[in-house]
Amino acid sequence: MDTNFYEQVFEVVRLVPKGRVTSYGAIAKALGVASSSRMVGHAMSYAGMSQPKVPAHRVVNSAGLLTGKFHFSPPSLMEELLTAEGIIVEKDKVKNFKKVFWDPLKEL
């Protein structure tokens, strides 16, 4: 486990504003490893153990799908957390994805 890389991922995710989402690929690009979106996904599977907390529910795939929901207990928790922040989710997909998308390369 590359804890340094994981911590870099977690630091970016902690910056995602409430009511916004980002993607594994956008995080990878922001960290200068554009081809490593799967590594970002793997790092996110450990986010629940990190302190300070990582708002992992704000990370979805590039189509806006809640592909990480199975790392939440129960899996419906990811959608519940997003909904509580005002993000509309239909059939495990963020509605208005482009509108609520937060690109760390542009925002930081």
Side-chain angles (χ1 to χ4, degrees), residues 2-100:
D2 185 352
T3 53
N4 188 37
F5 177 76
Y6 287 16
E7 279 306 315
Q8 290 176 11
V9 169
F10 300 157
E11 285 302 312
V12 172
V13 177
R14 287 182 186 112
L15 298 173
V16 180
K18 198 173 188 175
R20 305 284 297 278
V21 295
T22 194
S23 69
Y24 305 103
I27 294 167
K29 285 178 191 169
L31 295 175
V33 287
S35 62
S36 296
S37 56
R38 286 188 181 192
M39 269 184 62
V40 171
H42 192 260
M44 291 306 299
S45 69
Y46 292 96
M49 296 182 275
S50 186
Q51 289 297 327
K53 289 193 175 236
V54 177
H57 62 285
R58 297 180 188 149
V59 184
V60 298
N61 80 358
S62 61
L65 289 169
L66 311 189
T67 52
K69 74 178 190 173
F70 297 106
H71 294 285
F72 289 80
S73 183
S76 61
L77 180 60
M78 184 177 188
E79 180 176 340
E80 291 166 17
L81 292 168
L82 289 170
T83 300
E85 293 185 5
I87 294 175
I88 301 166
V89 178
E90 287 182 0
K91 297 179 183 175
D92 289 334
K93 187 173 182 179
V94 174
K95 197 168 180 181
N96 302 319
F97 177 60
K98 289 183 177 168
K99 184 179 177 190
V100 297

